[in-house]
Amino acid sequence: MIKMENHLGTIEISERFFTSLIGDALSDSFGVAGLAPARPRKKGLLSSQPQKSVVIRGKDGKLVIDLHIQVTYGINISAIVTSIVHKITYTVEDVTGIGVAAVNVFVEGMQVS
């Protein structure tokens, strides 16, 4: 649950809402095959615990969004990631009114179409 306070009171938005919002924004993005579970980033033994595809946290009154995606084989990954960052930032700020500090995109794999 993301909590934000303003002069009118407290706003609580669930992570499930953000995941749905971001999934809808990504669904029509060229080159994005879909969300992917995050690979464990731990040193040493690999964790068998599945990780979330979308992680949202607050930082200084703004949101930091981590996305784990799969892309379509043969596309320019840099161009796709730049497009995703702009699209997600605009969509989240437009719908919720909450500022986005950063969108971190992790490409977890490629799919051949």
Side-chain angles (χ1 to χ4, degrees):
M1 192 73 67
I2 303 295
K3 291 183 182 183
M4 303 300 283
E5 292 189 30
N6 63 18
H7 67 284
L8 298 174
T10 302
I11 300 168
E12 294 182 8
I13 303 175
S14 71
E15 284 190 43
R16 187 174 180 183
F17 171 79
F18 280 109
T19 302
S20 175
L21 179 66
I22 290 167
D24 288 344
L26 288 176
S27 67
D28 61 346
S29 295
F30 176 77
V32 177
L35 292 171
R39 292 186 181 157
R41 305 267 186 241
K42 295 180 181 179
K43 292 182 179 180
L45 297 175
L46 293 178
S47 171
S48 61
Q49 203 173 31
Q51 305 293 317
K52 294 180 181 180
S53 299
V54 179
V55 178
I56 299 154
R57 58 191 184 277
K59 180 180 180 183
D60 300 327
K62 293 189 175 188
L63 299 175
V64 176
I65 302 169
D66 294 339
L67 297 176
H68 298 268
I69 63 168
Q70 286 190 344
V71 296
T72 306
Y73 178 78
I75 54 96
N76 184 332
I77 294 175
S78 177
I80 293 297
V81 169
T82 301
S83 174
I84 289 169
V85 169
H86 291 296
K87 187 170 195 168
I88 297 302
T89 300
Y90 173 77
T91 301
V92 169
E93 288 179 348
D94 185 50
V95 171
T96 66
I98 301 171
V100 175
V103 177
N104 303 311
V105 180
F106 301 92
V107 177
E108 298 292 346
M110 290 187 194
Q111 280 188 349
V112 178
S113 40

